[in-house]
Amino acid sequence: MNFLRGVMGGPSAGPQPSGADTIQKLCDRVASSTLLDDRRDAVRALKSLSKKYRLEVGIQAMEHLIHVLQTDRSDSEIIGYALDTLYNVISNDLEEEEQEENSAKQVDDLGSQFTEIFIKQQENVTLLLTLVEEFDFHVRWPGVKLLTSLLKQQGPQVQQIILVSPMGVSRLMDLLADSREVIRNDGVLLLQQLTKSNAAIQKIVAFENAFERLLDIITEEGNSDGGIVVEDCLLLLQNLLKNNNSNQNFFKEGSYIQRMKPWFEVGDDNCGWSAQKVTNLHLMLQLVRVLVSPTNPPGATSSCQKAMFHCGLLQQLCTILMATGVPADILTETINTVSEVIRGCQTNQDYFASVNAPSNPPRPAIVVLLMSMVNERQPFVLRCAVLYCFQCFLYKNQKGQGEIVSTLLPSTIDATGNSVSAGQLLCGGLFSTDSLSNWCAAVALAHALQENATLKEQLLRVQLATSIGNPPVSLLQQCTNILSQGSKVQTRVGLLMLLCTWLSNCSIAVTHFLHNPANVPFLTGQIAENLGEEEQLVQGLCALLLGISIYYNDNSLENYRKEKLKQLIEKRIGRENFIEKLGFISKHELYSRAAQKPQPSFSSPDHMMFDHEFTKLVKELEGVISKAIYKSSEEDKKEEEVKKTLEQHDNIVTHYKKVIREQDQELEELKQRVSTLTSQNEQLQATVTQQVSQIQQHKDQYNLLKVQLGKDTQHHNSHGDTFQMNGIQTEEVSKLKEELEEWKSKHELLQGQLKEKDSVIEKLNSSQLEMGTTEQSSQTSKFGGLEHNNELQKELEMLRSQIQLQSAEISKLQMENQKLQLMNTTADPMLGDSGATAATSSELEGRLEQEIKELKSEVKALSEEKESLKQHLDSSSSTVAILQDEKSKLQREVAESKKEQDDLLVLLADQDQKISALKIKLKDLGVPVEDEDDTESGDQGDEDEDGDEEEQD
């Protein structure tokens, strides 16, 4: 009780009730009061006390408040007060003043303890989820805040309860669609807490269309120019995508990467960036990196990289990279983002190589970045980012490696010196006085040689002019010279990593290194000495370099054969001591840090010692070198023999591969030739078949002509003429028959159409007669319709007469046809009369042609008249429809007027009854009442008198 008194501000003077007593009374009112107003007032009072007396309200009132949430669901006001009170009790987000007042006496982690009490009954969380579904602002908003606070205090437990509750996550997703921005924004914060470190919930939220809604909110708020809402949405997107391959794939397939491009559209005026814009853009860049992180599956990363190139996102990032006025931290993060977008993707790496900085003259972006890397005045994080970008550009990019190394070779160096190349910048950084520049340049050059034996051999040709008057020195020799001069540890570590990478898997480079007589004594001297902890790392790297010189030695130098170098180690260092010094590398703390991820991230420049790719090389060679040191000469000989046989085998295999590749190319060419020849053959066969068929046709025609000529020689010319005329007549007769059949069918069709039109006109007449008896208002329109129908009937009569004329002509043609048939039958015995038959046939042909022309013209006229009849019928049908509509309207108006009259009659009857009843009552009361008949008679008398006076006047 003393503790409670202290929390409430010390003992009060007099018998005033303490805060605990007041809270107890309020809890009793909430529990026992039957009136809703009393309970509401009590909960409101508890809310006002909950911030100051958090512990007391939490202990005494939590159970009652939960009961209110369960029972008083109908009253939104009391529910809102109860939720606010619970939020004040559970949340640790107190104001600074209150924290100062209660800091000495507050129980540690009260929010977590109260949260545990609240979620012990899972029904409480389910009840809270149902309350969050309510649309009422006073219920939904405090419910969202309370659920967010519960997730902050006991995240995994509350996540599990929401996950197993039916449609739990889906209910919360509706908050993003709320039109009230306060609830929507707090809903984003709630989903942030809900999706932390829970892949199952992340998948459900993603498939509930979260990406679409969040990207819409970001666009509505102004992308990177938006406020803190954009920041919250980006943090939620990071939760959904980070380390979740399923959601990343869904994001890519949903074409949401394309919607990220407008985020990075930065204008030319980049001065005066707000802190919020910097934060937003930083999170946007991190979101891009989440999709292309080296820790993701290679296939997913590659597909996202391609999508970013095709939608123009990479181009937009390169624009920011080369822009002026961009804040340093945004520029650094942009470099890191571009690095991971191009890492291992040949298309993106080629594009990045083509990017030029907007300078005069234009310089490649790689050169500009390398200038920043070797400049000691640039920030440390920016130099690390540029190194990472250069490493990612060269990762699995032999073309890029060759371009970088070619800038160092004598044949490609610009003699004028106007432009600075990447190779010159790397050499300048390698031999500068800044140890960090030495280390960065050495590591960058090592990445240019990574897994590329050809370039390692070409780099041996590089010659450097150290001073005026002295002969040039090879790059390899200059590196060993700097090592022997005893420079800083960071510089020596960088150079040793470069030499180890250069000599590994390259026997020619090992031979060049051993050719300098000072190198091996220097290495053995460094390894044999007992130096401090700082120098142990250098000793380990020297041991690794000496081991590489032994393992990849081809025994071309007599004084530095494998066996002699092993004996030297045995005498000067000792095998055990050598292996121990070699183990210093992998046991170093900085080595284990560098081995974790590809990006070089160091807390300070002093910790910048190891490169990620170099740690892989150490892991690969450490065991191999240890075995090589303990091998005898016989085992070395056997191993060399095995290597030689393997090399021979490899050479044979490569030779056969080359032969097979050439044969495959020849086969492809032969297949193409065969395909072209087959197509040509098919075309030629088709032409041959066509020509054969044409020849056959010509042969048939030739045979027919021969037969006809033979018949012509047997008969007289006159007979041939008559037969030809008869043949022409028979053909014409058959044509006339067909035309007659056609005219008959057309005649029947016209008669059917006339019958249909007659029936339609009769219907129109009957309907118009019926409509004429209904109302007088439509008479004019009806008379017009009747006149129109009379005209139609006249036109029909004319058509009938024309059809009768046509039928008469058709009968004439039939008679003539019969005559022609008789003439054909009598043509055989009358072969001698060729002149007469010719005359009659010519006359018949002339008459037939004239009659056919007349029939065609008549048919054309009939078709035109038919079209005009159709138009008249359509117009008459439209007038009939209009008349029918007017008739129906008038009928409805008449019915309505009749109904109104009936209603008025009923009202008049009621009024008469009431007036008569009132008159009876007045008479009973003794009031003189005049009857209507009397008043009417009196009125009539007055009118008569007035009339007489007028007559007299």
Side-chain angles (χ1 to χ4, degrees):
M1 196 65 190
N2 292 329
F3 170 72
L4 296 178
R5 195 176 291 120
V7 170
M8 291 180 285
S12 59
Q16 293 179 356
S18 63
D21 295 338
T22 305
I23 292 166
Q24 184 61 48
K25 288 178 182 178
L26 291 172
C27 291
D28 293 340
R29 280 179 64 188
V30 173
S32 59
S33 181
T34 56
L35 292 174
L36 179 62
D37 293 339
D38 289 345
R39 294 199 302 277
R40 190 189 301 121
D41 293 339
V43 175
R44 187 190 295 118
L46 285 171
K47 176 191 169 185
S48 63
L49 293 169
S50 58
K51 287 186 178 180
K52 189 172 183 180
Y53 302 105
R54 181 183 176 193
L55 177 63
E56 293 80 357
V57 174
I59 292 170
Q60 298 181 40
M62 183 175 284
E63 186 177 348
H64 301 296
L65 293 170
I66 293 170
H67 184 69
V68 167
L69 296 179
Q70 293 171 346
T71 55
D72 291 330
R73 292 278 299 279
S74 59
D75 187 64
S76 61
E77 195 173 354
I78 192 172
I79 294 293
Y81 291 146
L83 290 170
D84 282 331
T85 308
L86 287 170
Y87 172 74
N88 292 337
V89 168
I90 289 171
S91 176
N92 284 330
D93 300 333
L94 296 175
E95 296 180 1
E96 293 181 1
E97 296 178 1
E98 295 174 350
Q99 284 183 350
E100 289 173 2
E101 291 176 5
N102 301 332
S103 59
K105 303 166 185 178
Q106 190 176 6
V107 180
D108 293 337
D109 204 9
L110 278 177
S112 180
Q113 294 176 18
F114 284 133
T115 302
E116 196 171 345
I117 295 168
F118 185 85
I119 66 172
K120 190 174 287 184
Q121 298 293 328
Q122 293 189 6
E123 296 81 8
N124 296 339
V125 180
T126 308
L127 174 64
L128 191 55
L129 288 172
T130 57
L131 291 172
V132 168
E133 280 188 295
E134 295 288 336
F135 186 74
D136 194 329
F137 181 82
H138 298 290
V139 176
R140 196 173 207 183
W141 188 38
V144 170
K145 292 196 295 183
L146 178 57
L147 193 55
T148 307
S149 184
L150 292 174
L151 284 162
K152 284 181 181 178
Q153 303 296 338
Q154 298 285 341
Q157 292 87 339
V158 181
Q159 283 175 343
Q160 195 59 33
I161 295 169
I162 293 173
L163 194 59
V164 298
S165 65
M167 299 292 290
V169 180
S170 301
R171 294 180 196 176
L172 300 178
M173 285 300 299
D174 294 336
L175 297 171
L176 295 180
D178 201 305
S179 58
R180 296 160 293 192
E181 289 190 3
V182 177
I183 294 177
R184 184 200 69 184
N185 299 343
D186 282 352
V188 174
L189 296 174
L190 170 60
L191 291 171
Q192 274 184 31
Q193 300 296 327
L194 182 65
T195 54
K196 274 186 179 178
S197 306
N198 194 311
I201 292 177
Q202 289 168 3
K203 288 179 183 178
I204 295 170
V205 171
F207 283 97
E208 287 283 346
N209 207 19
F211 293 138
E212 184 77 30
R213 294 182 184 179
L214 291 171
L215 291 172
D216 287 341
I217 293 170
I218 291 170
T219 305
E220 290 169 9
E221 294 291 327
N223 294 330
S224 61
D225 293 320
I228 197 168
V229 180
V230 174
E231 179 183 348
D232 294 334
C233 291
L234 292 168
L235 289 170
L236 178 53
L237 283 170
Q238 280 193 19
N239 284 355
L240 295 174
L241 292 171
K242 199 168 187 177
N243 299 324
N244 193 319
N245 299 327
S246 173
N247 282 1
Q248 289 174 7
N249 191 36
F250 180 66
F251 191 85
K252 179 186 69 69
E253 290 180 353
S255 300
Y256 296 119
I257 290 175
Q258 287 81 339
R259 295 188 60 179
M260 297 169 74
K261 184 190 173 186
W263 295 355
F264 306 103
E265 290 177 355
V266 180
D268 296 331
D269 187 14
N270 292 323
C271 58
W273 286 37
S274 64
Q276 188 61 56
K277 181 174 183 178
V278 171
T279 304
N280 291 344
L281 205 55
H282 203 274
L283 290 171
M284 289 170 178
L285 291 167
Q286 286 181 352
L287 194 63
V288 175
R289 292 185 66 186
V290 165
L291 295 170
V292 292
S293 173
T295 57
N296 294 343
T301 301
S302 176
S303 58
C304 288
Q305 287 172 332
K306 290 174 183 176
M308 288 175 184
F309 174 75
H310 290 303
C311 76
L313 180 59
L314 174 60
Q315 293 85 330
Q316 204 68 45
L317 291 172
C318 290
T319 305
I320 297 174
L321 198 67
M322 295 291 108
T324 56
V326 179
D329 51 349
I330 293 297
L331 183 60
T332 303
E333 191 63 25
T334 305
I335 294 170
N336 288 327
T337 306
V338 170
S339 306
E340 293 183 352
V341 172
I342 67 173
R343 187 177 188 269
C345 182
Q346 189 66 52
T347 307
N348 295 3
Q349 288 167 339
D350 292 343
Y351 170 76
F352 184 69
S354 67
V355 174
N356 288 322
S359 59
N360 192 15
R363 288 177 176 171
I366 297 170
V367 172
V368 175
L369 290 174
L370 287 176
M371 290 170 72
S372 300
M373 187 184 74
V374 297
N375 186 355
E376 56 185 313
R377 290 192 296 272
Q378 293 292 340
F380 172 65
V381 289
L382 179 65
R383 297 173 75 181
C384 290
V386 173
L387 175 63
Y388 184 46
C389 184
F390 192 72
Q391 290 173 352
C392 292
F393 170 68
L394 298 177
Y395 182 72
K396 293 184 179 179
N397 184 11
Q398 292 190 352
K399 179 182 175 184
Q401 288 176 326
E403 290 173 355
I404 298 297
V405 172
S406 66
T407 59
L408 284 165
L409 299 177
S411 59
T412 57
I413 293 174
D414 187 7
T416 60
N418 292 329
S419 62
V420 181
S421 66
Q424 290 171 344
L425 287 169
L426 290 176
C427 283
L430 196 63
F431 306 121
S432 72
T433 55
D434 179 29
S435 61
L436 189 59
S437 297
N438 301 153
W439 190 91
C440 291
V443 170
L445 201 53
H447 276 264
L449 304 175
Q450 201 80 38
E451 297 178 359
N452 199 325
T454 307
L455 294 181
K456 290 177 183 179
E457 295 176 9
Q458 288 185 5
L459 200 64
L460 296 171
R461 295 165 47 203
V462 177
Q463 300 289 320
L464 301 174
T466 55
S467 60
I468 299 172
N470 292 328
V473 181
S474 68
L475 178 61
L476 184 66
Q477 184 61 43
Q478 185 65 17
C479 291
T480 55
N481 291 341
I482 295 171
L483 270 177
S484 61
Q485 289 172 5
S487 54
K488 291 182 181 179
V489 174
Q490 192 174 40
T491 302
R492 284 183 286 164
V493 168
L495 290 170
L496 285 167
M497 285 196 296
L498 171 60
L499 290 172
C500 289
T501 306
W502 195 347
L503 269 59
S504 63
N505 204 17
C506 184
S507 301
I508 299 173
V510 170
T511 304
H512 276 73
F513 178 75
L514 296 175
H515 196 269
N516 187 353
N519 289 339
V520 173
F522 168 74
L523 292 177
T524 53
Q526 287 286 318
I527 299 166
E529 288 182 11
N530 292 320
L531 302 171
E533 292 183 2
E534 292 182 356
E535 296 291 333
Q536 285 182 353
L537 191 56
V538 177
Q539 285 184 320
L541 290 169
C542 288
L544 179 66
L545 184 57
L546 187 57
I548 290 169
S549 302
I550 294 170
Y551 185 71
Y552 292 105
N553 194 341
D554 59 356
N555 294 326
S556 58
L557 294 174
E558 185 63 31
N559 294 330
Y560 295 105
R561 296 173 64 86
K562 284 185 179 181
E563 190 60 34
K564 289 186 177 181
L565 289 174
K566 288 180 190 177
Q567 292 173 2
L568 185 64
I569 289 171
E570 182 69 29
K571 290 178 182 178
R572 297 277 183 89
I573 305 166
R575 291 180 181 177
E576 291 77 9
N577 192 20
F578 180 84
I579 299 299
E580 183 184 355
K581 297 290 175 69
L582 184 63
F584 284 164
I585 302 172
S586 56
K587 291 175 184 177
H588 204 279
E589 182 184 358
L590 297 176
Y591 173 88
S592 58
R593 285 185 191 174
Q596 290 175 0
K597 57 180 180 178
Q599 183 183 357
S601 56
F602 305 100
S603 56
S604 67
D606 297 335
H607 293 163
M608 206 170 192
M609 289 293 176
F610 285 108
D611 174 55
H612 179 75
E613 292 296 325
F614 181 72
T615 59
K616 294 180 182 178
L617 182 67
V618 172
K619 197 178 293 183
E620 179 187 343
L621 293 178
E622 189 176 6
V624 176
I625 290 170
S626 299
K627 289 179 183 177
I629 295 298
Y630 285 101
K631 281 181 182 177
S632 62
S633 58
E634 294 178 357
E635 290 176 346
D636 283 338
K637 287 179 182 178
K638 289 180 181 177
E639 189 175 350
E640 286 177 4
E641 290 175 0
V642 170
K643 279 185 179 179
K644 286 180 181 178
T645 53
L646 286 173
E647 286 177 359
Q648 290 176 357
H649 182 265
D650 290 339
N651 291 331
I652 294 168
V653 168
T654 52
H655 173 69
Y656 280 116
K657 281 182 179 178
K658 187 178 179 181
V659 171
I660 290 167
R661 199 177 293 112
E662 291 174 355
Q663 289 178 351
D664 288 338
Q665 290 177 355
E666 290 177 0
L667 277 172
E668 288 295 327
E669 292 175 357
L670 289 171
K671 284 179 181 178
Q672 290 176 358
R673 287 182 64 188
V674 167
S675 62
T676 53
L677 288 171
T678 50
S679 62
Q680 289 176 0
N681 187 19
E682 289 173 356
Q683 291 175 359
L684 290 171
Q685 285 181 352
T687 53
V688 166
T689 51
Q690 287 177 0
Q691 289 175 357
V692 167
S693 62
Q694 288 175 0
I695 291 166
Q696 188 65 37
Q697 288 176 1
H698 290 308
K699 284 182 179 179
D700 295 337
Q701 290 175 1
Y702 176 70
N703 293 327
L704 286 169
L705 289 169
K706 281 177 72 177
V707 171
Q708 288 176 359
L709 287 169
K711 288 180 180 179
D712 289 339
T713 53
Q714 291 176 4
H715 298 284
H716 196 265
N717 293 329
S718 63
H719 292 291
D721 295 335
T722 55
F723 281 125
Q724 191 173 5
M725 291 296 295
N726 288 331
I728 291 166
Q729 286 177 0
T730 53
E731 289 176 359
E732 289 177 351
V733 168
S734 62
K735 287 180 182 178
L736 285 169
K737 284 181 181 179
E738 290 175 359
E739 288 180 358
L740 283 171
E741 292 295 329
E742 288 178 2
W743 286 114
K744 284 180 182 179
S745 61
K746 287 181 182 178
H747 180 68
E748 290 173 358
L749 284 170
L750 285 169
Q751 284 182 346
Q753 289 177 358
L754 281 170
K755 288 178 182 178
E756 289 176 0
K757 289 173 183 176
D758 288 335
S759 62
V760 171
I761 289 166
E762 287 175 0
K763 288 180 183 178
L764 286 170
N765 287 328
S766 61
S767 62
Q768 285 175 352
L769 289 171
E770 290 173 0
M771 287 161 60
T773 59
T774 55
E775 275 129 35
Q776 295 178 355
S777 62
S778 61
Q779 284 181 356
T780 56
S781 61
K782 276 192 258 181
F783 285 132
L786 289 169
E787 290 174 0
H788 190 64
N789 286 331
N790 291 328
E791 291 176 359
L792 289 173
Q793 285 178 353
K794 289 177 182 178
E795 290 177 357
L796 283 170
E797 291 296 330
M798 290 172 66
L799 280 171
R800 283 173 182 166
S801 62
Q802 288 177 0
I803 289 167
Q804 288 175 359
L805 291 170
Q806 284 182 357
S807 60
E809 289 176 357
I810 289 166
S811 61
K812 285 180 184 179
L813 286 169
Q814 287 176 350
M815 293 290 291
E816 289 175 358
N817 187 16
Q818 290 175 0
K819 288 178 182 179
L820 284 170
Q821 288 177 354
L822 290 170
M823 288 172 68
N824 284 326
T825 53
T826 57
D828 291 331
M830 295 173 67
L831 289 171
D833 276 343
S834 61
T837 55
T840 54
S841 62
S842 61
E843 289 176 2
L844 283 171
E845 284 176 3
R847 287 178 62 189
L848 283 171
E849 286 178 357
Q850 289 178 358
E851 288 175 355
I852 287 166
K853 287 179 181 178
E854 289 174 357
L855 284 171
K856 285 181 179 179
S857 61
E858 288 176 358
V859 168
K860 187 176 181 182
L862 283 171
S863 61
E864 290 175 355
E865 288 175 358
K866 179 183 171 185
E867 290 295 328
S868 63
L869 278 173
K870 280 185 180 179
Q871 291 177 359
H872 289 311
L873 282 172
D874 292 337
S875 61
S876 62
S877 61
S878 63
T879 54
V880 169
I882 292 165
L883 291 172
Q884 286 178 352
D885 291 338
E886 291 178 354
K887 175 185 172 184
S888 60
K889 286 180 182 178
L890 289 169
Q891 285 177 350
R892 284 198 297 272
E893 289 176 359
V894 168
E896 289 176 357
S897 63
K898 284 181 180 179
K899 188 178 180 182
E900 289 176 358
Q901 287 177 0
D902 294 338
D903 294 338
L904 288 170
L905 289 171
V906 171
L907 289 170
L908 287 171
D910 291 340
Q911 286 180 356
D912 289 339
Q913 289 177 1
K914 288 179 182 178
I915 290 166
S916 60
L918 288 169
K919 284 180 180 180
I920 293 166
K921 286 182 180 180
L922 290 169
K923 285 178 181 179
D924 293 339
L925 292 170
V927 178
V929 178
E930 294 181 358
D931 291 333
E932 290 180 357
D933 297 333
D934 297 338
T935 56
E936 287 176 359
S937 63
D939 293 336
Q940 288 175 358
D942 294 336
E943 289 174 359
D944 294 336
E945 290 175 359
D946 295 335
D948 295 336
E949 289 176 357
E950 288 175 357
E951 288 175 358
Q952 291 172 1
D953 294 334

